[in-house]
Amino acid sequence: MSDQQKLLVIPEQPEARPRPQRGELKLTCVNRQQTRMANIYIEDLIAPDHKARAIDKLVREFDLSAFTVALKTTTGCAGRPAWEPSLLVSLWVYAYSEGITSAREIERIMPWEPGMQWLSGLETVNAHTLADFRVAHKAALDELFARLLAVLEEGGLLDLSQVMHDGTKIRAQAGADSYRREKTLRERLADARAAVKEMGDPQAEGTAQTRKQAAQQRALRERLKQMEAAMKELAAQQGEEAAQGDKEALRVSLSEPEAHKMKHGDNAIAPSYNAQITTESQNKFIVGAHVSQNSSDANSLMAGLEKVEQNLEKVPQQVVVDGGFTNRNNIIACAAKQIDLVGSLVDPKERSEAAMKGLGIDGNFAPHHFRIIEDAGGQRLQCPAGCSLEHVRQSMKRGNRYQQYQARGEDCRACRYQTSCCPKKPERGRTVSILTEEQAAVAAFRQKMETEESKAIYRRRGEVAEFPNAWIKDKLGLRKFRVRGLAKAGSELVWACLTYNIMQWIQLVWRQPAVA
């Protein structure tokens, strides 16, 4: 027998000893088909350091009377009492912190989720009350957001010496298939008006209505209102795009006219809003937020800084942005407000080549590839193919001074590079504008961004400006608005930013050990 076979030999097992005789085993089984009464001490539902306690404590520190202005229920009058605003605010903040953005989901889990049980005292708030509260108090919500920022500033947790601004796209409720052109919108509007006219006046005498008929009439009026809003939004878009392209190509969503199609980071194009968020760099608190309908960030910076000024009654000393916000208008506006703007500025050569491609001209024939030549006849320009362009005029555009040169038509038509350099109307000759004097504010900004100090400041932009965007989308789950319309989407964004700031406060203050 080999050594390997010896290893596989299993020795004989001893005989099992007989077990002593016992009675039947007693086991406790779970019976779920029963009703039991339980004594619950609400304070024991959650731990002493649970975030629900921190949210409730912080919210109750503020005066929330602005949320009760529209309430009609009073002591001594018929009707059930309304929920206190501190409870509803705390419920929404806690729900967003758990990634829950649906009012129905809050109502569903409230009877068994410990944090919500503790906040509500084992009561249940219905979804309609929660949904209405979220969008019906925009002014009061903005006031609460600003008061929280004031408290953070007084506590030394917030500093406006440096803020960083960024935008992120958040999808709207509208579907991509809800967009229609002007012709279809007019047909739908005419149908809606005819249906409302046929319905008649619901207040007229002798028009007894059932509940079903009343609901149908309300639906028709809402449909008409929606079609009118869609036509109004289309007219606004046509006014903006009239000088750029074909107005017939414009489309508007029937279900959410204010939502515009935008391109997201995953290259998806969907109805969305552009959430603009300003973050202070000390502890990454959000100090301003608003929603824009424009996919481009270029015109959103000053509106974002105005929000910061409304919230804290002063402007930041320095604002850091990316290339989407760095343009001539923002540079001049920040200089006028004495705000130090730091941002990436596109290389003029790259911008010039991009502009040429938009005109059908090859990037190798952009203005910076032409050479200025001084001779006895004066100043002229030489193209890459060797042809001369004579100086014709100088011009001012947006504060910049340009010298313009023009080639002869016969030279352009005979040139072998005509299709690349002068594809449109070569008989007129190529005209080239050379920048000779840049506006003072833009030139100073460009010079400042060449310094190592400014470059080091800009390198911190991503970790500060993009952090709340990622938190709001990933932690709070706000990748798609639950409400429709620009105003309501703005309210939901403020709810998310308020939740983010409170979570930051809990991490920095509430859960830190007390200092003796």
Side-chain angles (χ1 to χ4, degrees), residues 25-36:
L25 294 177
K26 295 190 296 183
L27 301 175
T28 301
C29 300
V30 176
N31 180 12
R32 298 184 179 90
Q33 307 300 320
Q34 62 176 330
T35 302
R36 300 186 65 176

Side-chain angles (χ1 to χ4, degrees), residues 420-439:
S420 300
C421 178
C422 188
K424 299 178 181 178
K425 299 180 180 179
E427 65 277 2
R428 295 185 180 181
R430 170 79 184 273
T431 301
V432 177
S433 298
I434 301 297
L435 176 65
T436 58
E437 183 181 342
E438 195 169 31
Q439 191 169 15

Side-chain angles (χ1 to χ4, degrees), residues 3-67:
D3 294 339
Q4 186 176 5
Q5 290 175 336
K6 290 179 181 180
L7 291 174
L8 295 176
V9 174
I10 300 176
E12 279 190 29
Q13 300 294 319
E15 293 184 2
R17 296 180 181 179
R19 294 182 179 180
Q21 294 294 326
R22 295 186 298 173
E24 185 178 355
L25 294 177
K26 295 190 296 183
L27 301 175
T28 301
C29 300
V30 176
N31 180 12
R32 298 184 179 90
Q33 307 300 320
Q34 62 176 330
T35 302
R36 300 186 65 176
M37 297 183 64
N39 294 323
I40 300 175
Y41 182 51
I42 297 176
E43 282 294 330
D44 288 343
L45 287 172
I46 57 177
D49 63 342
H50 196 279
K51 64 181 177 181
R53 296 183 187 272
I55 294 171
D56 180 74
K57 178 182 183 301
L58 183 61
V59 169
R60 290 184 183 276
E61 294 290 331
F62 298 101
D63 178 14
L64 302 179
S65 58
F67 288 92

Side-chain angles (χ1 to χ4, degrees), residues 96 134-135 138 141-142 145 165-170 273-278 286 288-292 307 468-469 472-473 476 478-483 485-501:
Y96 272 104
R134 173 164 56 176
V135 297
K138 182 64 168 63
L141 182 61
D142 290 339
F145 184 79
H165 186 88
D166 197 16
T168 184
K169 311 295 192 306
I170 300 179
Y273 296 102
N274 194 347
Q276 298 290 320
I277 297 175
T278 309
I286 295 175
H290 75 282
V291 170
S292 169
K307 279 290 182 182
N469 295 347
I472 287 173
K473 285 187 171 182
L476 307 188
L478 188 59
R479 293 184 174 273
K480 183 175 183 178
F481 287 113
R482 285 282 182 175
V483 292
L486 183 67
K488 292 181 179 180
S491 293
E492 187 171 8
L493 178 63
V494 176
W495 276 111
C497 293
L498 176 68
T499 303
Y500 168 87
N501 281 348

Side-chain angles (χ1 to χ4, degrees), residues 408-480:
R408 295 185 302 172
E410 52 268 25
D411 290 342
C412 288
R413 286 198 304 268
C415 181
R416 64 182 183 276
Y417 300 114
Q418 179 263 318
T419 55
S420 300
C421 178
C422 188
K424 299 178 181 178
K425 299 180 180 179
E427 65 277 2
R428 295 185 180 181
R430 170 79 184 273
T431 301
V432 177
S433 298
I434 301 297
L435 176 65
T436 58
E437 183 181 342
E438 195 169 31
Q439 191 169 15
V442 179
F445 176 82
R446 194 183 301 278
Q447 185 177 4
K448 178 184 68 176
M449 288 308 302
E450 293 296 327
T451 63
E452 289 301 322
E453 180 183 1
S454 297
K455 292 179 180 179
I457 292 173
Y458 182 75
R459 282 194 290 268
R460 288 197 62 234
R461 186 203 66 84
E463 66 178 88
V464 176
E466 296 177 6
F467 178 79
N469 295 347
W471 184 287
I472 287 173
K473 285 187 171 182
D474 293 338
K475 296 289 186 180
L476 307 188
L478 188 59
R479 293 184 174 273
K480 183 175 183 178

Side-chain angles (χ1 to χ4, degrees), residues 348-361 363 366:
K349 294 181 180 180
E350 294 180 5
R351 178 175 293 179
S352 176
E353 291 183 2
M356 292 300 103
K357 289 180 180 179
L359 297 174
I361 299 174

Side-chain angles (χ1 to χ4, degrees), residues 230-242 250 260 293:
M231 286 301 302
K232 183 178 179 180
E233 182 65 27
L234 181 66
Q237 291 187 30
Q238 288 176 340
E240 296 174 359
E241 302 291 337
L250 295 177
H260 292 182
Q293 292 176 277

